[in-house]
Amino acid sequence: MAQDLRDLFREERKKVQRPDMLKGHAQRFENLLEQRLPKEEKPAKQHKFFFMKIAAVLVVAVSIGWFLYQSGRSSVENAVVNTQQSTENQVEKETNRYLSDISPEYKQIEDYYLASINAELSQLTVTPENKELIDSFMNQLAQLDKEYQRLNAEIEENGIDEQTVSILINNLELRLELLYKLKDKLKQMKKDSLQEMQGAQA
């Protein structure tokens, strides 16, 4: 009873006779498959998707190129602007002369006025309603600053004169007073506009 299963299967296969296929059976089967199954147009679809893949790659490449171009251009522009600003700052430092540079005893007075002027300027908020007023005051301040620079240059050329020093201090006082007046006018404008709005609502 101890027979090998493999041997049993081999003997069984020999006993079973396979029917012979008719001639041309494979050809008839292929023809039947071609009739019943739809024909695939793979090459056309592949070409269509192939061009879409190329287009997608080109879009990505152009986008990356544009991004790199813009970032490179902005960094170059920033470098140029920074260089120009530093050059302008150096020229300003060379041309700006202050009372404290000439006479250290007036440094405290000048620092007080310049700090007050800068503090007042930093508190200004420009709106379309007050832009014209602020611009006119800024023009006056610019003229006073030019006069201040001219007086400093005069002191450097001719030496310290009590009258010139007094004019320089008066110039700083006048600039600060102008800023206080501007601030008061802006407050008044704001108050008037609030009253107009309340009057319109009532």
Side-chain angles (χ1 to χ4, degrees):
M1 282 243 74
Q3 288 184 350
D4 191 11
L5 287 177
R6 283 181 260 174
D7 292 335
L8 280 174
F9 281 121
R10 275 188 221 135
E11 287 176 20
E12 196 63 37
R13 282 187 201 145
K14 289 179 184 175
K15 289 180 187 175
V16 176
Q17 292 182 1
R18 282 194 247 160
D20 288 334
M21 301 270 184
L22 298 174
K23 289 183 179 179
H25 172 72
Q27 182 63 33
R28 284 192 310 268
F29 183 72
E30 285 178 14
N31 290 338
L32 189 61
L33 277 176
E34 285 180 17
Q35 288 175 0
R36 293 192 179 167
L37 294 177
K39 294 181 181 179
E40 294 182 16
E41 296 181 13
K42 288 184 181 179
K45 286 184 180 179
Q46 285 179 345
H47 288 299
K48 182 179 179 182
F49 288 121
F50 180 72
F51 288 114
M52 291 180 77
K53 289 177 185 177
I54 290 174
V57 168
L58 287 176
V59 166
V60 170
V62 168
S63 299
I64 290 172
W66 179 257
F67 174 75
L68 292 175
Y69 173 74
Q70 289 296 330
S71 64
R73 194 172 100 192
S74 66
S75 65
V76 168
E77 287 174 356
N78 288 342
V80 169
V81 169
N82 289 339
T83 305
Q84 288 174 347
Q85 287 176 349
S86 64
T87 306
E88 289 172 1
N89 288 343
Q90 288 174 352
V91 169
E92 277 183 22
K93 287 179 183 176
E94 292 172 4
T95 59
N96 287 350
R97 295 176 193 93
Y98 294 103
L99 187 59
S100 59
D101 296 336
I102 298 165
S103 175
E105 59 195 39
Y106 294 114
K107 180 173 177 43
Q108 188 176 8
I109 297 170
E110 185 181 46
D111 287 346
Y112 166 76
Y113 281 113
L114 289 176
S116 298
I117 290 168
N118 289 332
E120 292 299 322
L121 284 173
S122 68
Q123 293 175 1
L124 292 178
T125 53
V126 180
T127 62
E129 292 82 24
N130 66 11
K131 185 177 181 349
E132 188 176 327
L133 179 66
I134 290 177
D135 286 344
S136 68
F137 271 88
M138 294 307 280
N139 287 337
Q140 290 176 357
L141 285 175
Q143 289 173 355
L144 287 171
D145 189 49
K146 285 180 186 176
E147 181 65 21
Y148 187 79
Q149 297 303 325
R150 188 190 64 75
L151 289 170
N152 272 323
E154 186 179 306
I155 286 177
E156 195 169 285
E157 289 174 11
N158 301 332
I160 295 177
D161 180 5
E162 190 69 33
Q163 183 181 5
T164 310
V165 171
S166 177
I167 293 172
L168 283 172
I169 293 172
N170 287 340
N171 182 299
L172 291 171
E173 287 175 350
L174 184 58
R175 282 199 262 177
L176 190 57
E177 286 176 21
L178 269 174
L179 285 172
Y180 287 144
K181 285 181 184 178
L182 174 61
K183 197 173 180 182
D184 290 341
K185 283 191 177 190
L186 291 175
K187 283 181 184 178
Q188 186 63 37
M189 283 177 63
K190 191 173 185 179
K191 186 178 177 182
D192 291 344
S193 67
L194 285 174
Q195 286 177 352
E196 285 178 16
M197 288 175 54
Q198 289 175 352
Q201 289 177 353

